[in-house]
Amino acid sequence: MKTAIIYTRVSSDAQVTGTSLESQESDLRDYCDKTGYTVIEHFQDAGESAKTTDRPALIAALDFVRKKKPSAFVVHKLDRLSRNASDGLAIRGALVKHGCELVSISEPSGSDPVGQMIGTVMFAIAEFDNSLRAQRCKRGLVEVVKRGGWCWCPPRGFVLERVDNLPLLKPDGVLSIVIADVMHAMLAGRMTKVEAVASLRSHGVTKQMAYKLFEMPVYGGIIRSSVVSGDVLAAFPGLVTPEEWYQFEARFGKGTKKHTLDNDDFPLATILHCPECGGFLRGGHSTGRTGKKYSYYWCPDGHVSIRAERVNEFLFELLDSSAVLAGVLNISLRHAAQNIVDTMKKQNAVIARLKGRITAADNQIQRLTEGYASGTVQDDAYRAAVARLRLDKGAATAELENTIPPEVQVAKLEAALGELQHISDAYVRLSTPEKKKLLKLLFGSLFLTPDSKRIEPRKDSVFIELSSLSDDKVSNGGGGGNRTPVRDSRSLASTRVFC
């Protein structure tokens, strides 16, 4: 008696609730009746992709073949079994090893040379078709976004609707009104960000989501996505106008701190540290009784506060030697050039290692699948090993995606090299961002002494490395605006640094 098992599969939940599975099963049973096969088992994967062999029913079917040795493994089409050519051929080879013939009722198939050749071609076509579908899907996504459509889950305050075959958002009841009122109140200065978050939380929005909401341009009718470059005006209205959103983003978005960091009054922001806690000193202004404005650097924990003019005097003391600037530039140019070479080697090595991990994981999964199908690998061992390999592959893939390509790193270093050559002009003629680049290049970090009498560079800074150049004299700054005696630059290496 010729026995057969039948296998059916659909990939989407919509197909599971439709008639595709029933139709496949009916056609397979009719075929077996007509060709003299007795169906002894039916295996079904509902909502499973054929791009991988990790499907519950397929694994159970292969185990059944290994134990019961049916005459045929019957599918509606070969792409129901696999949409990956290598997986499909491995499964077919395992079936043949157990005396089971792979039969497709919609395509020429069989164990003879012609059937094997046609089956190989059909598996390759299925994989090619799958790749084309993925490409078309991505193109479709880009086209929808360019037309102003929304292809993701609707954010809070919106619901998704389809108009003329284009997915659009529309306001959703009370919450959309609350969000719009909050944004308008913040723009008008009637509500702070903290008060706005509290208001949203009272309407069921979590604190994390409330803050995230202030960074989503879709609320201004703007779509910003990695699939297209630049902002796209949505085909649906936001809760505020695009103009209002850009004002909102400028005042409350992530980039609002840039103007304080590049403030001409505080060139040492993110460079100068507190001598007690080691944290950054912040810059701020205060107004005296006569209305005069004063600039201060101060520690958020209250450890120290000092007038910005005093700090600038100390800084000029460190920079008062042209030999210092020339020596620093020579050292820095040399370091930057070496960094370009070293970074290229390191990045290439990292990328090669990660790609090797991914390839090795794929190869091991392939061998395990073949071994499992042929009965040489046990079920528990197969599942545990494949799960471990997929976890390692996923970690390597994520790390590879986050690895900056060597050419990008080198471009950054070359840009830095150009900046170093550019800042050979006098310090006072540089813009604030350029001053900060120079200071970070020279000192890495600066620390205010506990008595607030001077500032000192880190011991491993480029400035300290000048001690290896010559016996040039370097002024180390002084307290109260008075210059200290000039001393040998090598003595700077022994200066105590507070961090």
Side-chain angles (χ1 to χ4, degrees):
M1 180 180 69
K2 297 194 300 182
T3 59
I5 63 172
I6 60 177
Y7 175 78
T8 57
R9 181 193 65 83
V10 291
S11 57
S12 68
D13 293 335
Q15 290 173 308
V16 172
T17 57
T19 60
S20 180
L21 286 172
E22 291 81 358
S23 176
Q24 287 183 48
E25 182 181 359
S26 176
D27 291 346
L28 293 176
R29 290 189 181 276
D30 288 344
Y31 173 85
C32 291
D33 289 341
K34 293 176 182 178
T35 53
Y37 285 108
T38 300
V39 177
I40 58 175
E41 193 63 65
H42 172 212
F43 296 92
Q44 176 176 288
D45 276 316
E48 297 286 344
S49 170
K51 292 187 291 184
T52 174
T53 57
D54 189 15
R55 287 168 266 156
L58 176 59
I59 292 174
L62 294 175
D63 188 53
F64 186 90
V65 169
R66 186 166 59 247
K67 295 175 181 178
K68 302 296 183 179
K69 303 294 192 292
S71 306
F73 189 110
V74 187
V75 294
H76 198 277
K77 291 183 67 176
L78 291 178
D79 64 8
R80 297 299 90 196
L81 181 63
S82 177
R83 282 186 168 271
N84 181 290
S86 59
D87 287 346
L89 295 177
I91 294 171
R92 187 181 68 178
L95 293 175
V96 171
K97 188 179 295 185
H98 290 287
C100 181
E101 184 177 16
L102 176 60
V103 178
S104 168
I105 69 172
S106 303
E107 301 145 338
S109 61
S111 56
D112 61 293
V114 175
Q116 289 184 357
M117 184 273 291
I118 294 176
T120 301
V121 172
M122 296 310 297
F123 278 127
I125 290 175
E127 182 174 348
F128 176 68
D129 179 64
N130 211 55
S131 300
L132 287 180
R133 289 185 182 186
Q135 188 178 55
R136 287 195 297 268
C137 183
K138 184 176 181 179
R139 288 179 180 174
L141 174 64
V142 171
E143 289 302 317
V144 169
V145 173
K146 285 183 176 179
R147 292 173 57 194
W150 187 260
C151 300
W152 305 273
C153 294
R156 298 298 299 270
F158 286 107
V159 293
L160 199 62
E161 64 176 359
R162 187 170 290 273
V163 178
D164 295 332
N165 205 32
L166 185 67
L168 304 175
L169 296 177
K170 70 174 182 179
D172 179 24
V174 176
L175 184 57
S176 61
I177 299 174
V178 171
I179 295 173
D181 290 344
V182 162
M183 286 186 167
H184 284 123
M186 291 174 69
L187 282 172
R190 300 192 305 270
M191 185 179 290
T192 66
K193 199 170 187 177
V194 174
E195 293 171 340
V197 170
S199 176
L200 292 173
R201 293 187 68 183
S202 68
H203 288 81
V205 180
T206 64
K207 181 179 180 180
Q208 182 180 10
M209 178 56 68
Y211 278 106
K212 187 177 180 180
L213 180 147
F214 297 143
E215 301 168 4
M216 299 176 67
V218 66
Y219 289 102
I222 299 164
I223 299 176
R224 188 177 295 164
S225 170
S226 60
V227 301
V228 296
S229 60
D231 291 352
V232 176
L233 192 62
F236 51 86
L239 302 185
V240 297
T241 66
E243 293 76 14
E244 289 174 327
W245 168 259
Y246 284 123
Q247 294 177 24
F248 186 90
E249 186 176 42
R251 291 176 58 183
F252 304 105
K254 284 184 176 180
T256 57
K257 294 183 179 180
K258 183 176 180 181
H259 69 284
T260 59
L261 297 181
D262 288 343
N263 194 315
D264 288 333
D265 293 334
F266 307 106
L268 296 183
T270 72
I271 298 176
L272 186 60
H273 292 251
C274 173
E276 293 192 34
C277 64
F280 290 129
L281 296 187
R282 297 182 181 179
H285 298 288
S286 66
T287 304
R289 295 180 179 178
T290 61
K292 184 178 179 179
K293 185 174 71 172
Y294 298 92
S295 301
Y296 285 87
Y297 286 102
W298 52 278
C299 174
D301 294 329
H303 295 137
V304 67
S305 174
I306 186 170
R307 290 272 295 273
E309 305 92 272
R310 296 286 303 279
V311 173
N312 289 335
E313 290 176 5
F314 303 156
L315 183 61
F316 292 145
E317 290 288 340
L318 289 176
L319 295 174
D320 67 350
S321 171
S322 60
V324 170
L325 287 175
V328 167
L329 285 171
N330 287 333
I331 292 176
S332 302
L333 289 168
R334 207 161 53 237
H335 285 183
Q338 185 60 45
N339 280 342
I340 292 177
V341 178
D342 293 343
T343 299
M344 176 68 81
K345 292 180 180 178
K346 290 178 182 178
Q347 290 297 93
N348 281 329
V350 169
I351 291 174
R353 175 177 57 82
L354 293 174
K355 288 183 176 178
R357 280 175 57 187
I358 294 170
T359 301
D362 284 334
N363 292 338
Q364 291 183 53
I365 291 173
Q366 178 68 30
R367 288 195 293 270
L368 285 169
T369 301
E370 293 174 358
Y372 180 75
S374 62
T376 58
V377 179
Q378 298 300 317
D379 181 74
D380 292 343
Y382 171 79
R383 291 177 184 275
V386 168
R388 176 181 58 78
L389 288 168
R390 285 193 174 139
L391 187 63
D392 183 62
K393 177 184 175 181
T397 302
E399 189 176 348
L400 181 62
E401 290 175 350
N402 293 327
T403 300
I404 301 175
E407 56 272 15
V408 176
Q409 286 279 51
V410 169
K412 289 182 178 179
L413 288 171
E414 289 178 340
L417 199 64
E419 290 173 358
L420 289 176
Q421 294 168 339
H422 172 67
I423 60 176
S424 59
D425 293 337
Y427 174 79
V428 294
R429 294 167 55 188
L430 300 178
S431 65
T432 298
E434 289 172 328
K435 288 178 183 177
K436 297 187 70 171
K437 289 174 184 176
L438 175 60
L439 296 175
K440 286 183 178 179
L441 165 69
L442 287 172
F443 309 114
S445 297
L446 287 169
F447 294 86
L448 190 68
T449 57
D451 58 5
S452 299
K453 295 298 184 180
R454 63 181 184 273
I455 54 178
E456 297 174 337
R458 262 181 11 191
K459 287 185 178 179
D460 60 349
S461 69
V462 176
F463 186 86
I464 298 298
E465 290 190 47
L466 290 174
S467 60
S468 64
L469 291 179
S470 63
D471 291 334
D472 290 335
K473 305 300 180 180
V474 181
S475 171
N476 191 41
N482 298 319
R483 301 202 174 227
T484 58
V486 175
R487 54 194 180 119
D488 191 278
S489 63
R490 285 174 292 185
S491 65
L492 279 174
S494 62
T495 302
R496 183 182 177 191
V497 176
F498 299 88
C499 56

